[in-house]
Amino acid sequence: MGQLVNSDNRMPGADKEADLTERIEAFLADLKRGGCGTGPIRGSGETARETTALLRKVTAQARWSSAGDLMEIIRKEGRRMTAAQPSETTVGNMVLRVLKIIREEYARSRGSSEETDQQESLHKLLTSGGLSEENFRQHFVHLKANVIEAINELLTELDGTTDNIAMQALEHIHSNEVIMTVGRSRTVEAFLKDAARKRKFHVIVAECAPFCQGHEMATNLSKASIETTVIADAAIFAVMSRVNKVIIGTQTVLANGGLRAVNGTHTVALAARHHSTPLIVCAPMFKLSPQFPNEEDTFHKFVSPHEVLPFTEGEILSKVNVHCPVFDYVPPELITLFISNIGGNAPSYIYRLMSELYHPEDHDL
Amino acid sequence: MKRESIVPAACAAVTYTVLCHPHHHTVFIVLTDGPGNKDDITRSKNEGKELSKEEKQRLRKQKKQQKKQKERKNEKSETEKEKTPVSLLPPPRPVATQKAPSALPAPASAPIPVPASAPFHSSPAPSPADKPAKSKAELKAERRARQETDRAAKQPGSSSSGIKTKVPLSELNPVVKRLPEHVQVDDPAVVKRLAKKLERQQIPLRSDYGYKVSLFSHLHQYSRKAPLTQQLSIPSTVIHPSIVRLGLQYSQGIVAGSNARSVALLHAFKQVIRDYTTPPNEELSRDLVNKLKPYISFLNQCRPLSASMGNAIKYIKKEISNIPSQCKEEEAKTKLLTCIDRYIEEKIVLAAKAISKYAIEKISDGDVILVYGCSSLVNNILCEAFEKSRKFRVIVVDSRPRLEGREALRRLVQRGISCTYVLISALSYILPEVSKVFLGAHALLANGYVMSRVGTSQIALVARTFNVPVLVCCETYKFCEKVQTDSFVSNELDDPDDLMVTRKGKTQLENWQDVSSLGLLNLVYDVTPPDFVDLVITDLGMIPCTSVPVVLRVKNLDQ
């Protein structure tokens, strides 16, 4: 079984493998380091792109003969990557996307329609009566090329997500609005800047202690000549009565339509519901994760409490418990709209989108 | 409640004083002579500088009359809309509850407006001789008729200048309060008036700092780096040194918290009273009150007065003016000092004990109690409960930029209470563990809203969502008659530079002043709606939030 020559890499085989392993290790190290609380060193978009590029490389350079082998290799790598930083769900999401691509390409190569084993339906369960006989053992010559081409398409899609979302801004923002946002989200920043080209509005940014990423967001927005005000977290409810819309970003969109967002978002969502203000979440599709928020212990992530109570308070530090959670769960009832690169959706529709992006058998890596 | 107004037109120089009894809603109109002839006699006993003040006022009045006569000649033909005069005396002097005679003349009133309409025959010179001829009832009817025509004439246009127009008095609810100055910063006329008043009292005017968010352009925003005391000349003869020190402590945040500020204020006033000597030919009861006015203006400039301070000042002024005139000075001073001590003892110290007693009933073993910021009352309750061997643990929630929760944390940890500490953004994470929330209050408003440190309403909101009971602890002396529904109209803006933070050596907002579209907002207070609060614990017992006006009424009847 020879290796297909890959035009990307002219080095001989063994070095190729070493190079690949090296890249994967570097990526894992980056992920581990990135969880220091101020947010990853790169944004989620870049993480997604890196993951996908890495998976493309794995597809290109690893030794596999059938789709099943490839899927095993990718699953193994995916498990390692998600273990490095479990809260960075985009990594796992991209792995699932690639697995779905492989399944689709395999099915297309086999000639069967793509609809056959999309999801488990009650009907299928009753009629099939047993495990699916699909075991991905067949070898197809052009499978590799097809898969790599599909992954390239995925990469192009990832590149354009922020712009796609920003393009929808004018449909949702009118003039003289007061918009509230929390912390820092590159997607929301692009969204608001795009709307500001044509409309005049006012933005209130909640600074989101202790990391205070709202400050950076505010300076960026004000440089784009948007009227910005920075408020402390404590003033969110006080100011909410004058706010027309709340537009936030998120770290992850969960399978039930809920959010795992930066801490303080749940308060914002509750205040918005109290004042009947619409809550709009700008999240690209690669943030959609098949996880459900039902495991309290594994949902939260904590970072050093030094951010909350510094070591200068030494005398009392040993006698108190200090918590610094990074994320908040926002239930789907509080959300009005999701704006993603494929358009606007209600939270109740998220489960359908998930079935289009990921295969149900892959949900547990 | 008393209202003074100068009604223009026919009897231009005659002052009508309208007295409204708060409960019976009858309106009395009392005539006085022209510009304070009666008062000249009393005032002639005054010191030199007060007489000159009165003289200046008289001169001003004469000038205005002349101007009015000129204008009346010019505009007799036109039907101009009339501006009903503004009867405001520039606050922050609290609503006067003094007896009538001491406040009859209308010295520092608003400018006398231009009268207009043709139907009025103008008598150029004041004619006191006319007055005895008309009876009270006739005058009342005449005045009402005039006001009707005024209002009719006013309809087509609206005033464009800074002078506010008021609905004729007979239409107004007699207990409508005057707007305090510190929520009208966007009105240049009010600002000018305040500046003039402060100049008269020889107190420097504090200037605003930084770009103000447009929603709050009606409030002051000062910088902590420029305290008012730097603008005082040394030595300052007008303001007592302990008041200067107090003002500095307020503006720098050294004395913070509503109980602490009130107690500090009362102690400073005790010192002032001790050092006070009645000038010759003066009555202690009137002069001391006038001496206190510039001090109160000064403190207000340093930091806007809190509701508790306002109530304390009202009480002191009442006590002072109730001193009988035959009382000797030493006796009067000791009486006042004991009054103040008793006030502090009753309203603050004993009230705290009573509230602790009620609150401890609500704390059971195994409770997890959430507190916000540093409320002296809540800390007191928790310490007492701990002493009575209740087993509970406390979660202290804190917020930037004041970070007052750390002080509460220190105090509680010192007593040995086991504590957890989080920031307010982690509220949704920590609330599932909590069994009760105890909050302190800055003031309780008459419509049941709780005015407290910013962030309190958020805590109450999230607690309500998680079905955790919210208990507010507040002494009755903090109840005030204001009504408010949002946190915008009446609030305090703190130094915006406090929001800046340096993390990892970088200060993001360092040059926020240079960026024109960037503003920082540092609110101090917010209001919590009564449906978020389950119980209010006061020294009178445990009441629901909506019973605040009942307590106020009972208090008023007592006084």
Side-chain angles (χ1 to χ4, degrees), chain B residues 440-510:
Chain B
H442 170 259
L444 238 62
L445 305 177
N447 57 342
Y449 279 63
V450 179
M451 184 172 194
S452 184
R453 184 67 79 219
V454 68
T456 312
S457 52
Q458 234 165 280
I459 297 203
L461 167 78
V462 186
R464 165 67 83 206
T465 314
F466 283 89
N467 287 323
V468 175
V470 175
L471 292 86
V472 171
C473 308
C474 182
E475 300 96 334
T476 45
Y477 89 104
K478 288 184 191 160
F479 286 17
C480 80
E481 285 169 8
K482 243 180 1 165
V483 288
Q484 227 180 293
T485 52
D486 59 35
S487 325
F488 290 84
V489 181
S490 179
N491 207 327
E492 196 185 317
L493 294 178
D494 210 358
D495 193 351
D497 288 335
D498 286 346
L499 281 180
M500 295 199 291
V501 69
T502 306
R503 297 191 80 245
K504 300 188 162 67
K506 222 163 63 115
T507 313
Q508 274 291 338
L509 295 176
E510 202 157 6

Side-chain angles (χ1 to χ4, degrees), chain B residues 76-105:
Chain B
K76 218 175 181 180
S77 48
E78 299 170 40
T79 30
E80 202 191 31
K81 53 204 169 293
E82 173 177 343
K83 300 184 180 119
T84 332
V86 176
S87 63
L88 306 180
L89 297 171
R93 197 183 310 162
V95 174
T97 47
Q98 297 171 2
K99 306 198 187 75
S102 57
L104 258 184

Side-chain angles (χ1 to χ4, degrees), chain B residues 403-419:
Chain B
L403 293 172
E404 290 170 331
R406 292 195 186 162
E407 182 56 42
L409 192 66
R410 270 178 229 125
R411 290 188 202 167
L412 293 174
V413 168
Q414 230 176 22
R415 294 300 196 99
I417 304 177
S418 66
C419 299

